[in-house]
Amino acid sequence: MQICNTIPALRQLLDEYRKKGKSIGLVPTMGALHSGHISLIEKAKSGNDVAVCSIYINPTQFNNQEDFEMYPQTVEKDCELLKPAGCDVVFVPSHEEMYPGGFHNDLTKLDFGSISEELEGKFRPGHFNGVGIVVSKLLNIVNPDKAFFGQKDLQQFLIINKLVKDFSFGVELVCCPIIREKDGLAMSSRNSRLSQEERNEASLLFKVLSQAKEKLIFGEDVNVVGNEAKEKIASNKFFKLEYFEIVDIKSLKPIHQIKGLEDIALFVSAYLGKARLIDNILINATKCSDN
Ligand code: AMP
């Protein structure tokens, strides 16, 4: 496994692979890797000759400075996990490498339309602009055949899908399932911020999502199901609910009447102590890769 810190070094290495006819799969991450990330690396490796993992805590996608500063940095440990997973190349650039002019300057503004205004868009202004910029940079730098993302950040995946289509990036996107702890908590680098007491409560989000999904499948009223779910989270003293929404998978707009169960996704975001947790569930799990 080779580690590159600069764009020219990475490009040179990947050019050599390409000359030998090797296909390249990219997994963009911000590090503090866990089994969720590793599942993406394994997918990248099984579907390509060369698996590349980028580790970069992208400042322009943080709308909260404290969240950025608290973000765990564990590059050495990350590399120990990446190697046995089959990762061939790790790209760990500096801020200067990624944003030579500084990242506080006026950034290009991307407009993803209404899908970026719902859900996370309401609570994290500027977040998807930063994601769009850094993912565009990484796709241009690596020029992968395929890029792998998690359903954990489903709205992000839909936005990157739009970005790739609108700018004709020559990459195939793959959406991979959410990897969870035994109790259902979606794995996340931010889970390390939970105290033991908070961790014991953390599976509530997945339980509420799963129960709401079952109720919708049994034909219960979507508004009643949504309100019950919100109430369950809001009444737990450890959580501060941001949103629980039952939405149309294409527009991400809330639905108030069910036409087809196929096209529904349930999204939640809540603070548990200092950790902001997000999770989602699809009624039809194949929908993520369809988009
Ligand atoms: P991050 O390092 O949080 O930016 O995540 C990098 C990639 O890993 C993103 O595509 C995430 O959606 C994905 N990811 C994060 N957590 C999980 C998880 N629990 N299961 C599957 N993929 C995940």
Side-chain angles (χ1 to χ4, degrees):
M1 189 173 79
Q2 280 173 282
I3 300 175
C4 295
N5 299 111
T6 68
I7 296 170
L10 180 70
R11 281 199 168 129
Q12 196 183 344
L13 178 63
L14 296 181
D15 278 350
E16 282 164 26
Y17 279 122
R18 251 182 238 106
K19 273 185 210 145
K20 292 181 193 152
K22 309 269 187 210
S23 62
I24 294 169
L26 170 67
V27 180
T29 80
M30 297 203 297
L33 303 183
H34 49 67
S35 304
H37 298 111
I38 296 305
S39 74
L40 304 192
I41 299 290
E42 287 167 351
K43 277 254 166 65
K45 186 63 184 176
S46 67
N48 296 276
D49 299 311
V50 179
V52 179
C53 177
S54 62
I55 299 180
Y56 180 60
I57 305 175
N58 174 38
T60 66
Q61 73 186 67
F62 284 82
N63 53 308
N64 175 332
Q65 185 64 17
E66 193 193 349
D67 188 25
F68 175 55
E69 282 161 15
M70 276 170 62
Y71 207 87
Q73 297 187 41
T74 58
V75 175
E76 271 178 37
K77 200 169 144 247
D78 293 345
C79 288
E80 282 168 24
L81 291 175
L82 286 171
K83 209 172 165 187
C87 183
D88 300 284
V89 181
V90 193
F91 179 47
V92 193
S94 64
H95 292 314
E96 179 56 24
E97 193 69 18
M98 291 299 276
Y99 295 97
F103 46 80
H104 297 297
N105 294 343
D106 241 7
L107 270 187
T108 301
K109 296 283 179 291
L110 299 166
D111 184 350
F112 301 102
S114 57
I115 52 165
S116 63
E117 284 155 20
E118 304 295 331
L119 307 168
E120 292 293 280
K122 291 196 173 129
F123 289 87
R124 302 191 69 187
H127 169 63
F128 289 124
N129 198 64
V131 169
I133 299 265
V134 80
V135 171
S136 302
K137 280 173 181 283
L138 291 169
L139 292 177
N140 279 327
I141 294 165
V142 176
N143 190 17
D145 297 274
K146 293 185 186 171
F148 297 77
F149 296 89
Q151 186 202 316
K152 167 78 177 16
D153 300 279
L154 180 54
Q155 187 175 14
Q156 169 179 282
F157 179 79
L158 298 174
I159 283 169
I160 293 169
N161 195 42
K162 182 167 165 49
L163 177 89
V164 162
K165 277 191 186 147
D166 288 353
F167 288 113
S168 304
F169 281 104
V171 62
E172 184 188 323
L173 298 182
V174 183
C175 184
C176 307
I178 303 174
I179 306 298
R180 300 180 177 281
E181 303 285 357
K182 279 204 185 82
D183 66 352
L185 172 65
M187 289 191 183
S188 164
S189 310
R190 290 184 174 89
N191 291 352
S192 61
R193 294 179 193 170
L194 299 172
S195 68
Q196 190 53 54
E197 203 179 26
E198 288 159 356
R199 176 64 191 86
N200 295 340
E201 300 291 322
S203 65
L204 178 70
L205 296 185
F206 180 61
K207 284 196 191 108
V208 171
L209 283 170
S210 308
Q211 284 166 3
K213 171 176 168 171
E214 289 309 310
K215 287 180 180 179
L216 292 175
I217 291 170
F218 279 112
E220 289 192 28
D221 179 82
V222 65
N223 301 305
V224 173
V225 172
N227 286 337
E228 275 175 9
K230 283 178 195 164
E231 179 52 31
K232 269 188 207 142
I233 299 167
S235 63
N236 182 306
K237 67 173 182 181
F238 290 92
F239 284 91
K240 191 170 149 281
L241 179 66
E242 283 196 330
Y243 60 80
F244 180 97
E245 299 283 2
I246 301 169
V247 305
D248 173 83
I249 184 74
K250 289 221 163 65
S251 68
L252 297 183
K253 289 198 187 303
I255 53 165
H256 299 290
Q257 236 183 347
I258 294 190
K259 293 193 187 97
L261 279 171
E262 294 272 296
D263 299 323
I264 294 174
L266 293 77
F267 285 83
V268 67
S269 162
Y271 273 96
L272 180 51
K274 279 194 181 335
R276 182 175 185 275
L277 305 182
I278 59 169
D279 201 350
N280 69 79
I281 201 166
L282 294 163
I283 305 268
N284 179 351
T286 62
K287 276 282 158 184
C288 181
S289 48
D290 281 355
N291 272 276

